[in-house]
C-alpha cells in the first residue's frame, strides 16, 4: 500500500512543524491558549503534543534512543494541561511558505487593499515584501485586483464603529423604494467586487444586509451603538429567505448555474452536463427576474408564473422602445 | 523506543522524515531512510522487495514539496546515474523562515483577513497553512473595530486545472468560445498567470498558435481543461502584474456613454463607478463589451446606451432575445448556449 498521505495528514504535519517552534519560543504554554492561538481544538493540540513527545531522529544507533527524541514535562501535561518541551531535536524555526501558500496570501492582500482596516498602504506593502521574501520558491503568478469603489463608504462605517456610533444612509432597495436607514454595523462582507454591510436595522429591529453600492449620503449617526456583533447572529448567507419572496420557475442553460448563486432555490437531483434544466429561483421582488433574464439573455426563460413571463416580455419591449427614439450613433466604425 | 506495529499514522511518518532529513548533514540514501526512519522501518524488508515502500517515499516527498519543504538530492562523486546512491536532505537555510522575520499585530490582522478571502478549494487550504506558519511566530493579532468577511469566489471549473498547469509550468489545452463565434476553438497555451480583474477571472498565457501572449476569460472556456505533459520555459516573472496592467489599459481606453433615468437603481449603481457629466450622462469604463452588455441589458428600461455602437447593438440584441424567448410558444425553438452574434476584437 503506497497511498498518498491523505490531505489531513499533510495538514497535521504542517501543524506539527508550526507548533514545535511556537512551543520552544513560549517555554511554557497552556493547551487552551495554544488551541485558541492556532484556531484548532484542544484535542488536536493534545494529540499533536503526544506525537511530538515520542518523535525524533534515528540517531547514530538508528534506534531512536531517548536522547534522539523530543521530550516534554509529562507531569505538567497530564496534570495541568501545560506544555513544556524539555528536550528538543533538530527543529528551531517554522518552515518557509510554499510558492502557492505565499501566492494565496499575497492575492488575498491585494484584494483587501481597498479596505479601510487594512492599515494603509505602508502596512500592506511591508507585509507583501516580507511574504515574498519568506517563500521557499518564487510565489505563483496569481493576482486579484483591489476590490475598489467601496472604500469611501466603508471608511465612514469603520470610523463610526470606532467612535461607538450608529450609521445613517439612504438606501434603495431592489423594489425601487428609497428611505433613510439607521443601523448598528455588525460586519462587512464582500463577494468579489460587491460589498455588503450586515447591520442591525434600528427601526425594523432586525439584522439586514445592505449592498454598499445602493447606499448613499452615508453619515455617522448621533445615537450610540446598542447592538453589537455577538448580541445577534449574522447568517453566513447574504440573502435570507423571507415569506415575501417571489418563487419563480425558470428554464436555464446548465452553464449559467454556477453564476446564479444565492438566487437558486431548488435544482433537480440530476443535472445534465449540457442543455437546459428547470430550476426554482427565490427573489426578493418579481422585477428582479427580468434583470436576471437579461443578464443571461437567451439562456434563461421564465416558465411560471405565466403573468411574470408576460411581464418580462413587456419589460424587454419597453427597454427596446427607448432605442427607437435615439438617433443613430455616429461612431459606427467602432 | 521499541519497534511498533506497522499501523503508524501518516503524519508521524512524514514528521519523522522531515526530522531525519533536516538532521542529516550529508544526506541520507533511500535505503538509509527506508530502513531507519520511523514509519518506514517497521515495513522495511532487509531481504529486498521494498517497491511499495519506495513508492510511499516518492509520494511523501511530493507531500513535503507541496508544503514548501525543499528536498535536496546529491549524487556521490563518481557514482552519477545510480538512483540507489542518491542522497536526500533538507537544507536548513532554505527550510526555515528567516529568524529576523517578524510581524506587528496590525500586520498579523491584515494577514489573517487575507487568509479568509478564499473559502473553497486549494487556495483555501494553502492560505490556512500559510497562516499556521505565521502563527508559529507567536505574534499577536490586532482587533479591528468592525469585522470583515471578505470573499473571492471561483465559480469557474477551469480555475483548478489551470492553476495546476501554471504551478507545474506545463502547457494546457482547452476549447475557447470567442464572442461572436458559434463554435469554440481549441487553444494550446503556456499559462503564465491567473488574475481577477473587476470581479472576473482571466488567464494570461502564451498562445502557441498566435505565438504571442493572450488574455482569456475563464467564463468563456468551454468544457474541461487538459494539462499536457509538456513543460514550457516561458518566464513567469511579473506575468500577473503585466496581465493586470494590460486589463487596466484596456479598461482605461474603452468608455461607454449611458443615460440612466433619474433616481433609478441603474443610476445609483452605475453612478458609483462612473464619471457623470453635468447633464447626468454617465461615462463608464470597461474591459469587455460583451460582459458589460450582459450587465447593462439587466437594467432594462432604466437606461439607454448611446455609445459605442457595438455596445448599443449588443444590448439591443440581448433585450431582443429576452423578448423573443418570452413570447408565447417561443422557448422550445431557442438554441441554448447560442452566443452573441456581435463583433468583437481580440481574445477577450
Amino acid at each position: 500500500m503506497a497511498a498518498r498521505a491523505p490531505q489531513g495528514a499533510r495538514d497535521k504535519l504542517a501543524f506539527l512543524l508550526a507548533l514545535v517552534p511556537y512551543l520552544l519560543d513560549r517555554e511554557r504554554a497552556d493547551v487552551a491558549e495554544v488551541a485558541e492561538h492556532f484556531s484548532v481544538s484542544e484535542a488536536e493540540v493534545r494529540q499533536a503534543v503526544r506525537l511530538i513527545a515520542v518523535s525524533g531522529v534515528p540517531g547514530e544507533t538508528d534506534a531512536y534512543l531517548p536522547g534522539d527524541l523530543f521530550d516534554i514535562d509529562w507531569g505538567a501535561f497530564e496534570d495541568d494541561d501545560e506544555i513544556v518541551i524539555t528536550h528538543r531535536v533538530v527543529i528551531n524555526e517554522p518552515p518557509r511558505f510554499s510558492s502557492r501558500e505565499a501566492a494565496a496570501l499575497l492575492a488575498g492582500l491585494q484584494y483587501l487593499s481597498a479596505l479601510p482596516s487594512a492599515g494603509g498602504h505602508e502596512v500592506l506593502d511591508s507585509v507583501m515584501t516580507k511574504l515574498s521574501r519568506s517563500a521557499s520558491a518564487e510565489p505563483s503568478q496569481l493576482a486579484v485586483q483591489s476590490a475598489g469603489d467601496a472604500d469611501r463608504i466603508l471608511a465612514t462605517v469603520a470610523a463610526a464603529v470606532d467612535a461607538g456610533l450608529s450609521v445613517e444612509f439612504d438606501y434603495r432597495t431592489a423594489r425601487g423604494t428609497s428611505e433613510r436607514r439607521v443601523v448598528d454595523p455588525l460586519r462587512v462582507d464582500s463577494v468579489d467586487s460587491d460589498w455588503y454591510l450586515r447591520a442591525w436595522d434600528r427601526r425594523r429591529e432586525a439584522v439586514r444586509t445592505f449592498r454598499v453600492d445602493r447606499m448613499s449620503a452615508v453619515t455617522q449617526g448621533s445615537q450610540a451603538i446598542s447592538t453589537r456583533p455577538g448580541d445577534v447572529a449574522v447568517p453566513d448567507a447574504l440573502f435570507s429567505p423571507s415569506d415575501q419572496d417571489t418563487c419563480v420557475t425558470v428554464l436555464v442553460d446548465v452553464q449559467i448555474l454556477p453564476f446564479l448563486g444565492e438566487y437558486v432555490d431548488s435544482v433537480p437531483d440530476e443535472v445534465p452536463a449540457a442543455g437546459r434544466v428547470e430550476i426554482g429561483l427565490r427573489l426578493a421582488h418579481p422585477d428582479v427576474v427580468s434583470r436576471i433574464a437579461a443578464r443571461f439573455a437567451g439562456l434563461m426563460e421564465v416558465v411560471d408564473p405565466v403573468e411574470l413571463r408576460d411581464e418580462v416580455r413587456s419589460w424587454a419591449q419597453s427597454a427596446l422602445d427607448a432605442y427607437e427614439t435615439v438617433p443613430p450613433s455616429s461612431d459606427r466604425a467602432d | 523506543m521499541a519497534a511498533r506495529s506497522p499501523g503508524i499514522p501518516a503524519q508521524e511518518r512524514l514528521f519523522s522524515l522531515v526530522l531525519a532529513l533536516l538532521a542529516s548533514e550529508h544526506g541520507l540514501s533511500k535505503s538509509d531512510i527506508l530502513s531507519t526512519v520511523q514509519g518506514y522501518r517497521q515495513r522495511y524488508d532487509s531481504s529486498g522487495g521494498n517497491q511499495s515502500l519506495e513508492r510511499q517515499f516518492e509520494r511523501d516527498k511530493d507531500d513535503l514539496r507541496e508544503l514548501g519543504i525543499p528536498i535536496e538530492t546529491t549524487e556521490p562523486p563518481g557514482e552519477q546515474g545510480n538512483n540507489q546512491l542518491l542522497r536526500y536532505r533538507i537544507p536548513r537555510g532554505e527550510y526555515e523562515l528567516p529568524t529576523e522575520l517578524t510581524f506587528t499585530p496590525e500586520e498579523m490582522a491584515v494577514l489573517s483577513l487575507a487568509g479568509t478571502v478564499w473559502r473553497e478549494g486549494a487556495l483555501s487550504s494553502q492560505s490556512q497553512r500559510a497562516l499556521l506558519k505565521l502563527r508559529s511566530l507567536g505574534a499577536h493579532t490586532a482587533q479591528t473595530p468592525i469585522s470583515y468577511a471578505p470573499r473571492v469566489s471561483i465559480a469557474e471549473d477551469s480555475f483548478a486545472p489551470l492553476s495546476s498547469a501554471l504551478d507545474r509550468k506545463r502547457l494546457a489545452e482547452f476549447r475557447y468560445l470567442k464572442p461572436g463565434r458559434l463554435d469554440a476553438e481549441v487553444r494550446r497555451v503556456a499559462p503564465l498567470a491567473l488574475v481577477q480583474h473587476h470581479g472576473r477571472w482571466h488567464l494570461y498565457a502564451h498562445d502557441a498558435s498566435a505565438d504571442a501572449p493572450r488574455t482569456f476569460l475563464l467564463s468563456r472556456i468551454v468544457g474541461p481543461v487538459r494539462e499536457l505533459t509538456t513543460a514550457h520555459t516561458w518566464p513567469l516573472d511579473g506575468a500577473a502584474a503585466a496581465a493586470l496592467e494590460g486589463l487596466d489599459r484596456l479598461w482605461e481606453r474603452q468608455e461607454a456613454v449611458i443615460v440612466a433615468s433619474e433616481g433609478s437603481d441603474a443610476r445609483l449603481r452605475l453612478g458609483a463607478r462612473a464619471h457623470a457629466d453635468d447633464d447626468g450622462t454617465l461615462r463608464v469604463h470597461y474591459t469587455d463589451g460583451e460582459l458589460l452588455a450582459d450587465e447593462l441589458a439587466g437594467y432594462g428600461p432604466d437606461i439607454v446606451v448611446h455609445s459605442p455602437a457595438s455596445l448599443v447593438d449588443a444590448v439591443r440584441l440581448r433585450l431582443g432575445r429576452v423578448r423573443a424567448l418570452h413570447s408565447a410558444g417561443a422557448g422550445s425553438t431557442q438554441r441554448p448556449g447560442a452566443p452573441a452574434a456581435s463583433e468583437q476584437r481580440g481574445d477577450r
Side-chain angles (χ1 to χ4, degrees), chain A residues 2 18 101 126 130 145 172 192, chain B residues 59 102 107 136 153 198 263:
Chain A
E101 288 165 5
S126 124
K130 286 183 193 178
Q145 188 199 33
R172 204 193 148 78
D192 302 328
Chain B
R59 293 194 164 96
T102 54
E107 291 175 336
S136 176
S153 64
H198 287 284

Side-chain angles (χ1 to χ4, degrees), chain B residues 76-93:
Chain B
E79 298 284 354
Q80 277 83 359
N82 186 342
N83 261 343
Q84 294 302 320
L85 293 174
L86 277 182
R87 301 188 81 82
Y88 301 89
R89 67 187 277 267
I90 296 174
R92 189 176 286 272

